[in-house]
Amino acid sequence: MEGEKVALLFGALLCLGYAYEVSVSCMMAYDEGGASAVFNSPECPRWDFSAAIKNGTEKCLVTTHKGRRKYQEDRITCYPHVIIPVLGEDGPNEASMGIAAVFDGHGGEEASEMASQKFLHYFLLHVVFDTYKNLFSHSKEYEGAGQYSLKFKVADELTHGILEKALLRTIQDIDSEFSQEALRNDYISGSTAIVVLWMNGQIFVGNLGDSKALVCSRKTHIDEDNEDDLVARLEAEELTKDHHPDRDDEKARIEAAGGVVLVVGVPRVNGILAVSRSIGDIRLKRYGVIAEPEVTGWRRLSTDDWYVVIGSDGIFERTTSQDVCDILLREHAKENKTSIGSSLCPSSSSLADCIVHNAFSKGSSDNLSVIVIPLRQESPSMEHQQQI
């Protein structure tokens, strides 16, 4: 009876333009089986997050190309304006955040396709359910028999913790669901995953595999030819570390599970897989391949941070992270007519197009996918970075 009262209170408190209703039986399904159990349970209402996804793509410059491969196994998603419930001073409130992800498939497109299709809805469902739980675990106090007093306090750490947990559980759920489907259908495919969240001037990254996320930041240096002049450039700061099988900690885990790292062109798990963390790849899970993202802490953006870039490993096969930032600086100078240098990209190219064009022209043999998120205020299509 008390659980039913709590469930009704949830619905009343989290009616923020669109309502999320959670019954006790639905919460039990969630606790037992995660997001997929909720979406498949007849006890749970139909969850529709379309109202949470707002229009506007100015912060998502995306390009994907199959490159020199026969098939395109990359998948990308980018949602710059997603409304989520948060806990505020006066109770539940709402906030806007951005989500961008690259899923680089291998051995087939099945894993990357499932991940791209399910990620946003699973992620938002985890945010909602974990917000419900935190709402009562952090604020409920009994005042006599059956009386509740709700007290709220703003805590970025709480919101950040909810989002981080939602990301980790989403990847876990997708990996579990895909692994079952792979067993039924004899799929051998897998997918890397890199996800960037941004909110209130801060970004957070979760990664498994060898795609990269980086920030291009403006730095000034003394000109080597003229010490009286300062030269500006965009310097690359990588936010991720590749999960290659020969990385010391990754290799230790693989060998402890009974696997081996063999060099077949590049280091591979059992001579097969060139990454040590992925969604799927069910035949290598027993040998230490895991689907647990490595996460960064929340990084506050500054006015010197111009771009966030997320790219599949094909982008970086022949191109360094610094090369990517150099391309963006050159194209920025061209757009603002502050440089007379010629562009290496077709005249109609977006910034993302230009990065893919450069990687392909340098001889990359892989699928090519990139997301560029502009941070600067000066461009007409860019909001101030503190609002990202």
Side-chain angles (χ1 to χ4, degrees):
M1 192 66 176
E2 180 180 312
E4 292 177 352
K5 285 169 56 180
V6 171
L8 291 173
L9 192 54
F10 280 161
L13 288 171
L14 291 180
C15 194
L16 307 171
Y18 50 93
Y20 297 127
E21 298 178 3
V22 179
S23 66
V24 173
S25 57
C26 194
M27 182 64 79
M28 291 174 63
Y30 174 77
D31 288 338
E32 292 174 4
S36 59
V38 172
F39 281 109
N40 292 322
S41 173
E43 301 294 330
C44 299
R46 291 186 176 274
W47 288 79
D48 182 6
F49 289 106
S50 58
I53 305 169
K54 302 302 181 181
N55 293 330
T57 59
E58 72 276 4
K59 286 204 182 84
C60 289
L61 309 178
V62 303
T63 298
T64 185
H65 192 279
K66 72 176 184 179
R68 292 177 170 83
R69 296 289 178 90
K70 291 183 179 180
Y71 307 103
Q72 174 58 281
E73 296 172 332
D74 287 357
R75 298 291 187 273
I76 57 178
T77 61
C78 190
Y79 302 94
H81 303 291
V82 179
I83 304 302
I84 61 169
V86 295
L87 301 180
E89 283 183 334
D90 301 319
N93 210 321
E94 61 183 24
S96 177
M97 66 172 298
I99 306 171
V102 172
F103 303 99
D104 183 352
H106 47 261
E109 63 182 11
E110 297 90 0
S112 57
E113 177 66 18
M114 175 182 283
S116 65
Q117 291 297 319
K118 293 183 178 291
F119 181 84
L120 180 65
H121 289 85
Y122 280 22
F123 175 81
L124 291 178
L125 186 137
H126 280 300
V127 171
V128 169
F129 274 76
D130 205 32
T131 300
Y132 282 170
K133 291 184 175 184
N134 277 278
L135 171 62
F136 286 91
S137 65
H138 285 272
S139 64
K140 186 174 70 175
E141 294 180 356
Y142 285 97
E143 292 184 350
Q147 299 296 316
Y148 296 100
S149 172
L150 295 174
K151 298 180 180 179
F152 304 91
K153 55 184 178 180
V154 176
D156 283 345
E157 293 81 4
L158 177 59
T159 299
H160 290 168
I162 289 172
L163 296 178
E164 179 178 345
K165 184 177 179 181
L167 189 157
L168 295 172
R169 289 208 60 184
T170 296
I171 295 298
Q172 177 185 357
D173 283 354
I174 291 173
D175 178 64
S176 177
E177 188 171 343
F178 178 75
S179 294
Q180 294 175 32
E181 186 168 318
L183 285 170
R184 288 192 298 268
N185 297 282
D186 199 27
Y187 293 150
I188 63 170
S189 59
S191 177
T192 68
I194 185 166
V195 182
V196 174
L197 312 177
W198 64 94
M199 184 178 185
N200 295 331
Q202 298 185 70
I203 58 174
F204 178 84
V205 182
N207 177 57
L208 62 158
D210 55 1
S211 295
K212 294 183 187 295
L214 57 105
V215 174
C216 297
S217 303
R218 184 180 185 272
K219 305 290 184 182
T220 56
H221 302 272
I222 297 175
D223 192 333
E224 294 181 356
D225 298 324
N226 186 346
E227 295 185 357
D228 293 329
D229 291 339
L230 293 177
V231 178
R233 68 177 304 195
L234 288 183
E235 291 190 358
E237 176 191 348
E238 292 191 5
L239 304 178
T240 53
K241 296 179 181 179
D242 293 344
H243 295 127
H244 290 153
D246 61 338
R247 205 177 91 175
D248 289 345
D249 52 344
E250 300 294 296
K251 184 177 181 180
R253 187 187 66 251
I254 291 164
E255 292 180 343
V260 294
V261 177
L262 301 175
V263 177
V264 182
V266 295
R268 300 175 184 271
V269 180
N270 289 5
I272 300 170
L273 184 63
V275 293
S276 50
R277 302 193 191 196
S278 67
I279 294 168
D281 291 304
I282 59 172
R283 297 180 181 180
L284 294 171
K285 281 289 196 288
R286 70 182 69 177
Y287 298 110
V289 174
I290 60 174
E292 179 182 339
E294 190 170 16
V295 299
T296 67
W298 285 84
R299 179 193 187 279
R300 182 163 294 280
L301 298 165
S302 76
T303 54
D304 289 325
D305 297 326
W306 282 21
Y307 300 99
V308 173
V309 181
I310 315 160
S312 61
D313 69 312
I315 296 294
F316 303 99
E317 185 178 329
R318 300 290 181 87
T319 305
T320 67
S321 295
Q322 186 57 52
D323 290 337
V324 168
C325 292
D326 291 342
I327 292 168
L328 294 176
L329 179 61
R330 184 171 60 243
E331 295 307 303
H332 173 85
K334 184 190 72 172
E335 289 178 3
N336 290 273
K337 299 180 180 179
T338 58
S339 172
I340 60 175
S342 60
S343 171
L344 300 178
C345 300
S347 58
S348 60
S349 294
S350 71
L351 293 175
D353 292 333
C354 193
I355 292 170
V356 168
H357 174 84
N358 181 80
F360 185 81
S361 66
K362 285 190 172 182
S364 178
S365 60
D366 204 350
N367 295 154
L368 301 164
S369 296
V370 70
I371 302 171
V372 179
I373 304 168
L375 305 178
R376 300 190 71 228
Q377 185 178 18
E378 285 81 351
S379 172
S381 65
M382 305 173 194
E383 297 178 32
H384 191 275
Q385 63 89 19
Q386 290 297 335
Q387 299 174 356
I388 191 171

